[in-house]
């Protein structure tokens, strides 16, 4: 039930976000050209009402990585490998939250 857009690197992700203004982004950290940390930093520059909610999905799963994602505005963190139902539960939870 979601309309999705894909990007293979952080720069393309920012372009897709700018063009389509999604309400929710699933973001990997380890990407070429511009990593997910840089994408999060760029999203923080957007006005709050234009900033999408972000779920980080990454093989980086230390407490330090999770804390950094939260500091950079991520709304949730799902470590890889993940169960699709678990990810969907997180996404649905963010849709329902104010």
């Amino acid at each position: 039930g979601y309309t999705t857009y894909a990007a293979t690197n952080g720069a393309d992700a920012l372009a897709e976000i700018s063009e389509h203004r999604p309400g929710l982004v699933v973001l990997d950290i380890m990407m070429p050209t511009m990593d997910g940390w840089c994408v999060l930093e760029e999203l923080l520059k957007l006005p709050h009402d234009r900033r999408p909610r972000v779920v980080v999905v990454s093989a980086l799963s230390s407490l330090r990585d999770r804390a950094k994602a939260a500091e950079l505005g991520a709304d949730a963190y799902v470590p890889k490998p993940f169960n699709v139902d678990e990810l969907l539960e997180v996404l649905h939870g963010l849709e329902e939250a104010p």
Side-chain angles (χ1 to χ4, degrees):
Y2 292 98
T3 299
T4 60
Y5 305 95
T8 58
N9 63 63
D12 289 347
L14 288 173
E16 290 290 330
I17 291 167
S18 177
E19 181 178 345
H20 300 288
R21 295 185 61 183
L24 181 64
V25 172
V26 177
L27 179 67
D28 197 350
I29 295 299
M30 296 186 290
M31 296 184 292
T33 309
M34 174 188 282
D35 66 22
W37 301 126
C38 293
V39 172
L40 285 169
E41 289 171 355
E42 290 300 312
L43 292 177
L44 279 177
K45 296 176 184 177
L46 294 175
H48 191 51
D49 64 333
R50 292 198 54 219
R51 194 178 312 149
R53 302 193 91 171
V54 177
V55 176
V56 170
V57 177
S58 180
L60 301 175
S61 59
S62 72
L63 290 177
R64 174 181 271 169
D65 293 318
R66 291 170 185 252
K68 183 175 181 178
E71 288 172 16
L72 292 174
D75 297 283
Y77 200 103
V78 177
K80 288 181 181 179
F82 61 88
N83 175 295
V84 172
D85 291 331
E86 176 187 336
L87 177 60
L88 288 173
E89 188 176 308
V90 171
L91 297 178
H92 293 311
L94 288 175
E95 286 179 332
E96 295 168 3

